[in-house]
Amino acid sequence: MLKVRIDLSVQLFSFLVMNFLFSHIVTFESDATRDRDSNWASGLCPENCTCKMMDYPKYKSFFNKTVVCIGVEFVNNVFPENVPLDVQILDLSHCHLVRLSFKLPLKNLRFLDISFNNLKMLDRQIHKLTALRRLIIQNNSISYLQNGAFSGMMFLEVLDLSNNQLYSIEPHTFGGLNYLKKLHLQGNRLHHLSPQWFISMPSLGWLFLSNNLIGRLKANVFETLSGLFTMKLDGNRITHIESGAFNGLTHLRILDMTDNQLQTIPTQELHDLPLLQYLYFDKNPILRIPYHAFHSVNLTMLTMSYMPELKVIEKESFSNLKHLVTLQLHDNSELVYIDPKTFVNCSRLKNLYLHNNKLGSVSSVLKDSLPALKTLHLYNNELECDCNAMWIKQENLKEKSNTTYRSVLFGDSMLKCSAPPSKKGKLLRDLPLSDLNFTCAPVLIPLFKNRYNLSIGEELHLECYTMGLPFPQISWRLPNKTILRKENLQSGRYKIHNNSTFILKYLYETDTGTYSCQAQSVSGFDVKSTYVTVNNKPVRISPEYVAGNFITISWNGTRNQWSMTGYEIHYRQSDRSDKFQIIPLDRRLRQFRYTFTNLTPLTTYMFCIVYVFETELYTVHCTNITTNDLDLNEIGITHINSKMVVGVVTSIFMLLILGCCVFVIRRVGKRKDYLEPLYSNDTESLMDVIPLESMYQGQTTSAACSSRTSLIQSQD
């Protein structure tokens, strides 16, 4: 047994010795190889560049043949030619290059950085760099990319064209990039996107289009990018997303729409993204988050912060979001109201950020509807420190009295009161519980102005919300003292949406007056009002010419005199009750007058100009005009228009030209009569044939033929 143990010890010792010697031999050989290869390009290297075997962090590679020429200025600012042919990494950034010329067969080049230069176009031979894996061309001045510009780079994985001047890309510029994973086009001047750009790019996982000038996403523009994982469209001017714009993005998980011009939530389009998890929607001018805005979207995180116009989050706007964990709704400076029933079936929501808004309260119903809630930020709002804040105070007290209880509230040291006036500026945590009643009178949150000036035919929209315990009922009071509630509202011009929005369609002048939003409960009453003035259209008609059997009227006062779309002229005899006859006015009627013929002499007619809005008619102005006695010797013009005026002016002009021509011909005739005798040698006979009046002829002809007439007169 002892002998066996000795043998095992000897074998183990021999193994350790051999392993030690082998490792040192390998290390020695690799060091020798590295020393030999570190100067692999010592005989051929561009001036002021570094050429050696090295690890290059930009490429995240280890021990490659690398040429680094950062900041080197070459002759004529042109790509250097004395580059080692077997180079693998080439960095020519910040070299002031104005032109590339790939004459060398760099068949081993895998990484090329030509960023921060002065390139205005790509060399046509760049596609010959067939071994490239990463091409960085950012921060140049390239404005145009042509078809097949990168067609030979079949193994390219990263293409960075960010921060150039790109405004035009031909349809098949990126054709053949079958292994491309990342495409950087941010920071350019692209106004639109074309689906033909993305054909034959099945491996594309990251698409960066930030900070361009894109204004619209058209249908099916990304339909070939089924493998896309991340897409950034932030910092553009997108105002509209067409239905089907996200078709084909079946694997998209991250979408950034921050800082665009979207005014509505693209609800339907989001349902075309079945795997979407992260949605960034900050800095868009959205006024409200409406009912079912994000219903059943497969989101894990949603951010809608720094939105300068957002005021209201409506009932069930976040519903059936079964995977939502984090929701950021902070720093919305106009956000004043969140419906207590905003969240429905959001069972996994843990983090809700509502700080730095303008909220007067957040209902305990909202907090109780989120069973997984762990963190709630409410600081830096305009809290009403009354019964509406009671549950917040109770949360603080419960946490203080029970060390094992963890409140969902964060930052109670920043929860300050804004109302009532006696508590303004105080910390909620410093107020005794007795100062906060369990019931309180209603407080209205009006979203309308103090006064409105509207025109007939327009719609009036008034919106207000309320808070208080018990929850108040809202009603609307009209100028005629009528009280309207949703439950007693009949069909017609009036509509109440969710008890919070009052709509009056097809305004008349008689709708002018005070409109009030009223909130009432057993605890009290509150009212907020606005005054609405409904103005008539600024169009008036007047008689221009009156005869026995026709009348010409004219009108004025429109903002755009050439556009009368939506107006009609109605007329009939004043003493009759039959239907008006109608003359539509539109852009095709390029005049401001109309003549009515076949009228009865000595009869009064009523003429009205009427504004038409959908199915409603609004009388703008009416006037009565009486025809004269019929004069049989008078021949009236039944219809005067611009063509008649042009015809008369043209005729007069032609007559003037004809008269001028006749005058010239006659003068030429006279000249011939008295010039022929000049060839006679007899001076006395010459005096006999020259008409005396021509010797004293003055320049009395018209300006239309002045040049020719002056010549004749001088010869006279």
Side-chain angles (χ1 to χ4, degrees):
M1 189 69 178
L2 181 61
K3 184 178 181 180
V4 172
R5 290 181 178 177
I6 293 173
D7 291 340
L8 289 174
S9 299
V10 171
Q11 291 178 6
L12 178 61
F13 178 76
S14 300
F15 173 78
L16 292 174
V17 171
M18 292 298 295
N19 186 54
F20 175 79
L21 293 174
F22 178 77
S23 62
H24 278 69
I25 292 171
V26 170
T27 303
F28 175 78
E29 289 181 351
S30 62
D31 289 341
T33 303
R34 178 170 299 192
D35 291 338
R36 183 183 70 249
D37 291 342
S38 62
N39 296 316
W40 113 98
S42 58
L44 184 65
C45 185
E47 187 177 357
N48 298 323
C49 296
T50 301
C51 303
K52 64 179 181 178
M53 297 289 292
M54 61 183 294
D55 302 339
Y56 203 57
K58 281 189 179 182
Y59 188 45
K60 298 180 181 179
S61 64
F62 303 98
F63 214 57
N64 286 286
K65 297 177 180 179
T66 305
V67 176
V68 180
C69 303
I70 299 176
V72 177
E73 293 194 29
F74 300 103
V75 178
N76 298 323
N77 294 324
V78 177
F79 183 81
E81 295 186 0
N82 55 337
V83 175
L85 296 181
D86 55 348
V87 61
Q88 294 173 299
I89 297 175
L90 177 58
D91 192 336
L92 296 170
S93 58
H94 300 274
C95 291
H96 305 284
L97 295 175
V98 298
R99 184 165 56 86
L100 296 176
S101 180
F102 292 100
K103 298 179 180 179
L104 301 175
L106 305 178
K107 297 181 179 181
N108 295 326
L109 188 63
R110 301 169 67 87
F111 173 85
L112 175 60
D113 187 348
I114 48 176
S115 59
F116 293 93
N117 283 290
N118 300 319
L119 301 174
K120 295 184 177 180
M121 63 178 64
L122 287 180
D123 185 82
R124 293 179 179 271
Q125 306 301 316
I126 195 171
H127 65 271
K128 292 184 178 181
L129 303 176
T130 55
L132 269 183
R133 298 296 190 271
R134 183 175 297 185
L135 176 58
I136 313 299
I137 322 177
Q138 62 175 311
N139 290 90
N140 279 277
S141 301
I142 299 170
S143 60
Y144 173 79
L145 293 177
Q146 61 184 359
N147 286 334
F150 310 98
S151 59
M153 302 178 183
M154 60 180 301
F155 298 111
L156 192 65
E157 296 178 353
V158 177
L159 175 57
D160 191 343
L161 288 158
S162 59
N163 299 314
N164 276 273
Q165 300 294 321
L166 283 174
Y167 68 88
S168 178
I169 299 178
E170 291 191 355
H172 302 288
T173 293
F174 305 114
L177 299 180
N178 297 329
Y179 294 97
L180 190 69
K181 296 179 181 178
K182 293 184 179 181
L183 177 58
H184 295 262
L185 292 170
Q186 67 267 31
N188 283 285
R189 296 190 295 157
L190 298 173
H191 286 79
H192 73 282
L193 301 176
S194 171
Q196 294 179 321
W197 296 353
F198 310 118
I199 295 175
S200 300
M201 301 173 71
S203 302
L204 192 66
W206 290 265
L207 178 58
F208 302 95
L209 293 163
S210 310
N211 301 316
N212 277 280
L213 303 174
I214 302 167
R216 191 182 191 94
L217 296 183
K218 296 184 178 180
N220 302 314
V221 66
F222 306 112
E223 62 179 345
T224 60
L225 300 179
S226 59
L228 199 65
F229 179 86
T230 299
M231 181 163 62
K232 292 178 65 66
L233 286 160
D234 53 298
N236 279 280
R237 301 177 180 179
I238 300 172
T239 59
H240 183 68
I241 300 176
E242 292 185 4
S243 178
F246 296 141
N247 283 348
L249 298 175
T250 53
H251 290 85
L252 190 71
R253 285 173 170 78
I254 301 173
L255 176 60
D256 192 346
M257 299 292 298
T258 299
D259 196 13
N260 277 282
Q261 299 299 317
L262 290 167
Q263 297 184 2
T264 58
I265 306 294
T267 303
Q268 186 57 49
E269 289 68 35
L270 290 176
H271 283 96
D272 295 332
L273 303 171
L275 298 183
L276 185 66
Q277 293 180 318
Y278 302 91
L279 176 59
Y280 302 90
F281 220 80
D282 305 329
K283 296 183 181 180
N284 277 279
I286 292 175
L287 180 64
R288 65 181 62 249
I289 303 177
Y291 175 79
H292 276 195
F294 294 99
H295 179 72
S296 298
V297 181
N298 189 44
L299 291 173
T300 301
M301 186 181 75
L302 171 62
T303 71
M304 298 188 71
S305 302
Y306 303 99
M307 304 179 75
E309 305 294 332
L310 182 62
K311 293 184 178 181
V312 174
I313 300 177
E314 293 185 0
K315 178 182 178 181
E316 296 185 23
S317 52
F318 301 98
S319 60
N320 204 36
L321 298 175
K322 298 179 181 180
H323 304 285
L324 187 64
V325 174
T326 300
L327 176 59
Q328 300 196 38
L329 285 165
H330 57 85
D331 290 276
N332 300 306
S333 59
E334 296 298 319
L335 180 58
V336 296
Y337 182 76
I338 299 179
D339 192 278
K341 298 181 180 179
T342 292
F343 299 100
V344 177
N345 196 18
C346 297
S347 56
R348 296 185 181 180
L349 184 60
K350 294 182 180 180
N351 307 305
L352 179 58
Y353 301 100
L354 298 173
H355 54 278
N356 296 335
N357 291 312
K358 205 175 181 180
L359 296 170
S361 73
V362 174
S363 173
S364 61
V365 175
L366 184 147
K367 187 263 297 183
D368 294 338
S369 66
L370 301 172
L373 191 64
K374 299 297 182 183
T375 302
L376 175 61
H377 289 194
L378 283 176
Y379 56 87
N380 290 340
N381 278 282
E382 298 184 359
L383 293 179
E384 294 274 348
C385 289
D386 52 17
C387 67
N388 297 287
M390 173 63 74
W391 74 270
I392 301 176
K393 182 67 177 179
Q394 290 174 330
E395 283 283 305
N396 290 335
L397 293 176
K398 191 183 298 184
E399 187 175 29
K400 290 179 180 179
S401 61
N402 187 350
T403 56
T404 62
Y405 178 80
R406 182 182 180 276
S407 174
V408 299
L409 291 170
F410 176 83
D412 63 342
S413 62
M414 294 179 282
L415 291 175
K416 289 185 178 180
C417 302
S418 292
S422 59
K423 300 182 180 70
K424 185 175 182 179
K426 295 182 179 180
L427 291 176
L428 178 61
R429 69 177 183 180
D430 295 337
L431 295 178
L433 189 62
S434 57
D435 282 6
L436 307 175
N437 298 322
F438 287 93
T439 62
C440 54
V443 175
L444 280 171
I445 307 171
L447 299 186
F448 48 76
K449 298 182 292 186
N450 293 329
R451 181 176 293 272
Y452 289 90
N453 283 293
L454 303 173
S455 296
I456 59 172
E458 294 184 342
E459 289 187 358
L460 173 64
H461 287 251
L462 300 177
E463 186 174 5
C464 73
Y465 296 86
T466 185
M467 54 187 179
L469 290 175
F471 195 78
Q473 295 295 317
I474 292 180
S475 60
W476 296 88
R477 185 175 181 177
L478 307 183
N480 60 5
K481 314 303 181 185
T482 301
I483 303 296
L484 294 180
R485 296 183 179 88
K486 187 175 183 180
E487 56 270 15
N488 67 359
L489 189 63
Q490 303 297 323
S491 60
R493 295 195 299 140
Y494 301 100
K495 181 179 180 181
I496 296 177
H497 177 66
N498 288 339
N499 277 337
S500 59
T501 304
F502 171 76
I503 302 172
L504 176 53
K505 302 170 69 176
Y506 316 128
L507 286 173
Y508 291 96
E509 282 187 286
T510 53
D511 291 319
T512 295
T514 300
Y515 293 79
S516 301
C517 175
Q518 303 176 160
Q520 187 172 7
S521 71
V522 295
S523 299
F525 179 88
D526 193 15
V527 61
K528 295 291 187 294
S529 301
T530 182
Y531 190 84
V532 179
T533 302
V534 183
N535 302 301
N536 202 343
K537 298 288 184 180
V539 182
R540 296 293 180 267
I541 58 177
S542 59
E544 189 168 285
Y545 191 85
V546 180
N549 59 356
F550 71 90
I551 294 175
T552 299
I553 67 169
S554 62
W555 55 87
N556 55 29
T558 57
R559 293 181 181 178
N560 184 355
Q561 290 285 351
W562 288 110
S563 177
M564 290 296 292
T565 301
Y567 290 87
E568 296 176 348
I569 295 178
H570 294 201
Y571 74 102
R572 71 180 181 190
Q573 291 187 20
S574 297
D575 56 354
R576 297 177 62 176
S577 60
D578 52 350
K579 292 184 178 180
F580 282 95
Q581 297 186 57
I582 299 175
I583 306 296
L585 305 179
D586 56 29
R587 296 178 182 177
R588 293 171 295 177
L589 190 64
R590 299 184 67 83
Q591 58 184 35
F592 311 126
R593 61 178 62 84
Y594 194 86
T595 300
F596 300 86
T597 59
N598 300 320
L599 304 181
T600 304
L602 299 176
T603 302
T604 301
Y605 288 86
M606 176 184 287
F607 298 91
C608 295
I609 192 160
V610 176
Y611 178 68
V612 183
F613 183 80
E614 294 186 358
T615 59
E616 298 292 320
L617 302 178
Y618 305 90
T619 301
V620 177
H621 183 241
C622 292
T623 187
N624 292 323
I625 305 173
T626 303
T627 54
N628 295 331
D629 190 8
L630 184 62
D631 186 351
L632 297 178
N633 296 325
E634 181 183 22
I635 301 177
I637 300 175
T638 59
H639 196 87
I640 301 174
N641 56 32
S642 58
K643 292 183 178 179
M644 295 175 62
V645 175
V646 172
V648 171
V649 172
T650 303
S651 300
I652 294 173
F653 184 72
M654 293 300 294
L655 288 173
L656 287 173
I657 294 177
L658 181 60
C660 184
C661 292
V662 171
F663 182 82
V664 171
I665 292 172
R666 292 184 63 183
R667 297 296 293 175
V668 170
K670 289 182 180 182
R671 177 176 177 272
K672 186 175 181 180
D673 289 341
Y674 61 71
L675 283 181
E676 285 180 352
L678 289 176
Y679 293 100
S680 173
N681 293 324
D682 189 355
T683 305
E684 293 182 0
S685 61
L686 173 64
M687 293 299 294
D688 291 337
V689 298
I690 297 177
L692 292 176
E693 64 272 15
S694 65
M695 296 179 64
Y696 305 98
Q697 183 72 33
Q699 295 185 4
T700 59
T701 57
S702 65
C705 51
S706 60
S707 61
R708 177 64 179 166
T709 307
S710 299
L711 179 60
I712 295 172
Q713 290 172 349
S714 64
Q715 290 178 350
D716 290 349

